Amino acid sequence: MRQDPHARWRDGAVMRTTLNGRKAFGAGARSAARGSHRAAVAAVVVGAVVLTGCGGDSEDKSDGGSESKKPASTVELPKLDGEKIQVAAVWTGPEQANFTKVLDEFEKRTGATVTFVPAQDPIVNFLGTKIAGGSPPDVAMLPQVGAITQAVEKKWAKPVGPEAKAQLAKNYGKGWQDLGAVDGEQYGVYYKAANKSLVWYNNTAFENAGAAEPKTWKELLTTADTISASGVTPVSVGGADGWTLTDWFENVYLSQAGPEKYDQLAKHEIKWTDPSVATALTTLAELWGKPALIAGGADGALQTEFPASVTQTFTGGDVPKASMVFAADFAGVNVTEAGAKVGTDAKVFPFPAVGADSPVVTGGDAAVALTDSKGAQALLTFLASTDAAQIQAELGGFISPNKALDGKAYPSDVQRDIAKALIDAGDDFRFDMSDQMPQSFGGTPGKGEWKALQDFLKNPKDVKGAQQQLESDAAKAYKS
């Protein structure tokens, strides 16, 4: 996964589960949106729970954690001696390095040579250039449901072969299979997933301010004021990456408007001028409209990219640039890179409940074949297997939607809990809203929802203007 573009892990689910008595809603899958609206989600990390195991050396391998033992093979792969395979993804840093180890194992088992091709966002545009030039990668990791649909509509994507389908049937719930299907045909193998409803905080800053973890939006605003009074800016926002702002909106909207409205807005069955959108934007403005509560104010936030929004929360000693940052579980890698220890210096709490329930928004990355090569299908088969999932799970910073993966593969109790909540959701889950939309609206830097919410961060008083801009852009994208 990308550093959400998407590191992204837009990636859990909607089920009637509670932890410590707290309900939560999850983000919408295209398949679930077509039918049942039964949804509410598992809040994966609750109260003072700390997220220990999102990457780096902070991973705790005790209590059943894996010791990186090579798994027994659960999948048969063809011999591909001499075949060259290219895999394109927007992943960088540790995320790319860990995925490369999965590709290394595939090479050992098949004899193929696999090359990782760094892609740029939006990946559909990147792939379009490659395909137009006659050099498409064999496999692309697509971070958006809408991108899979586009790849199929453009006749780039190749259907998943029988071997990979067999692995999907064995290892994946129907909901995750349906996410990778278009008009009933399987095209994608969802390899990676993420919880995007967590707030990471600087424990020292909270303790110095006498602040407690908020459970509701109202409490979050009170906590922000308390921390501000202590001399530390409360909230870091990576507004230079528009996807972070869509995540803010989606969490507020899902908790406040509920899953049925969420599904309708995701499919543009209701307009962005709907009163429910106005309510969510007005709620966001309660925080975004107070420059003193945002690191650097709106202008500073709009110049801060996602990685920096995390690291500036955990550097600076007793006076960091911010005390908390809303970010997915994959932010643990950035926390570690900042020199903070996950579980002591850095802790997390669930995104506060805006309505009756706390939200959990998730997403994922799907492998899609773009060539008819034997190697492309073999790699999809491997990525759908438990073997591939186990390799990357043991490295940390990764959660698999593969229900057959033994939870002991994860290097910490909390990461195991996150993965278990995802699997326990079964087929009642929803996917990140912007990732369900046409990429031109929900996934393109400087355009559509990303740009409209950046403009709204700059001027949060103009709720009506933001709604009109969002609806105008959405109408064009859904018609194209």
Side-chain angles (χ1 to χ4, degrees):
M1 290 212 164
R2 39 180 183 174
Q3 280 289 322
D4 191 320
H6 239 351
R8 279 164 134 359
W9 186 313
R10 290 170 174 281
D11 77 43
V14 191
M15 59 183 167
R16 290 278 175 194
T17 302
T18 61
L19 290 182
N20 294 357
R22 297 185 64 198
K23 293 179 183 177
F25 287 105
R30 178 165 51 87
S31 58
R34 289 174 178 162
S36 139
H37 299 298
R38 293 175 282 167
V41 208
V44 182
V45 186
V46 185
V49 172
V50 297
L51 189 59
T52 63
C54 284
D57 294 333
S58 60
E59 306 275 347
D60 174 16
K61 299 208 178 216
S62 62
D63 300 325
S66 167
E67 294 298 335
S68 296
K69 295 177 182 177
K70 186 174 180 179
S73 177
T74 64
V75 59
E76 185 176 342
L77 299 172
K79 288 300 180 183
L80 301 169
D81 295 322
E83 183 160 347
K84 295 181 179 180
I85 303 169
Q86 290 189 337
V87 183
V90 294
W91 301 336
T92 59
E95 194 169 32
Q96 177 184 334
N98 289 350
F99 181 60
T100 298
K101 293 179 182 178
V102 176
L103 300 180
D104 289 345
E105 180 63 22
F106 177 79
E107 287 183 327
K108 292 177 184 176
R109 296 192 188 188
T110 63
T113 300
V114 185
T115 302
F116 183 91
V117 179
Q120 290 84 43
D121 269 314
I123 193 169
V124 168
N125 292 358
F126 172 84
L127 295 175
T129 301
K130 289 288 187 180
I131 290 168
S135 58
D138 298 281
V139 173
M141 307 302 295
L142 300 183
Q144 295 160 324
V145 173
I148 298 175
T149 302
Q150 282 184 276
V152 173
E153 291 174 345
K154 292 175 181 291
K155 302 188 185 303
W156 296 348
K158 310 301 179 184
V160 170
E163 293 82 5
K165 282 184 180 178
Q167 289 295 314
L168 287 171
K170 182 171 68 171
N171 301 325
Y172 285 71
K174 186 176 183 298
W176 283 101
Q177 294 180 58
D178 287 348
L179 278 175
V182 177
D183 296 330
E185 181 73 62
Q186 195 74 40
Y187 288 94
V189 170
Y190 268 89
Y191 173 68
K192 191 174 183 184
N195 182 322
K196 302 189 74 182
S197 297
L198 303 174
V199 180
W200 294 76
Y201 68 94
N202 185 311
N203 190 45
T204 298
F206 264 57
E207 288 183 346
N208 290 344
E213 295 178 353
K215 296 182 179 179
T216 67
W217 181 261
K218 184 177 180 181
E219 289 177 2
L220 175 68
L221 298 177
T222 300
T223 297
D225 287 335
T226 298
I227 293 170
S228 181
S230 75
V232 176
T233 305
V235 181
S236 177
V237 177
D241 289 319
W243 61 266
T244 65
L245 306 184
T246 70
D247 287 355
W248 274 98
F249 173 82
E250 289 161 4
N251 276 270
V252 169
Y253 190 82
L254 183 59
S255 180
Q256 194 171 59
E260 185 172 353
K261 283 278 192 181
Y262 185 97
D263 292 342
Q264 292 171 346
L265 187 60
K267 294 184 289 183
H268 203 218
E269 291 178 349
I270 58 175
K271 295 184 177 181
W272 284 83
T273 49
D274 190 85
S276 62
V277 176
T279 301
L281 292 174
T282 300
T283 299
L284 279 173
E286 293 174 352
L287 177 63
W288 291 5
K290 297 181 179 179
L293 300 183
I294 306 293
D299 290 340
L302 288 168
Q303 296 177 46
T304 303
E305 295 180 343
F306 170 75
S309 73
V310 179
T311 56
Q312 71 180 8
T313 306
F314 299 101
T315 52
D318 289 340
V319 189
K321 289 186 177 180
S323 68
M324 54 183 155
V325 59
F326 161 54
D329 53 279
F330 50 75
V333 173
N334 305 94
V335 171
T336 301
E337 289 176 344
K341 186 176 181 180
V342 176
T344 53
D345 305 322
K347 297 184 179 181
V348 296
F349 57 83
F351 193 95
V354 186
D357 303 293
S358 295
V360 173
V361 175
T362 68
D365 293 89
V368 175
L370 301 181
T371 71
D372 289 315
S373 72
K374 187 177 180 181
Q377 288 296 335
L379 183 55
L380 259 58
T381 300
F382 186 57
L383 294 179
S385 75
T386 305
D387 296 7
Q390 179 168 338
I391 293 167
Q392 194 152 352
E394 290 176 345
L395 297 170
F398 170 88
I399 293 176
S400 172
N402 187 320
K403 66 182 181 180
L405 178 64
D406 190 334
K408 292 180 180 179
Y410 293 101
S412 75
D413 287 337
V414 174
Q415 200 163 7
R416 281 188 282 278
D417 289 343
I418 293 173
K420 184 177 185 299
L422 184 74
I423 299 305
D424 286 350
D427 294 336
D428 279 340
F429 70 94
R430 286 175 168 76
F431 205 82
D432 178 287
M433 184 189 295
S434 63
D435 280 357
Q436 299 181 61
M437 298 170 173
Q439 188 161 331
S440 60
F441 177 68
T444 301
K447 294 184 179 180
E449 189 183 6
W450 292 17
K451 178 63 163 59
L453 291 179
Q454 287 174 325
D455 291 345
F456 182 66
L457 176 60
K458 190 181 301 183
N459 183 18
K461 293 182 179 179
D462 189 12
V463 171
K464 186 175 181 179
Q467 284 187 274
Q468 291 173 340
Q469 182 180 347
L470 285 160
E471 176 55 29
S472 175
D473 291 341
K476 293 174 186 176
Y478 279 86
K479 287 178 182 177
S480 61

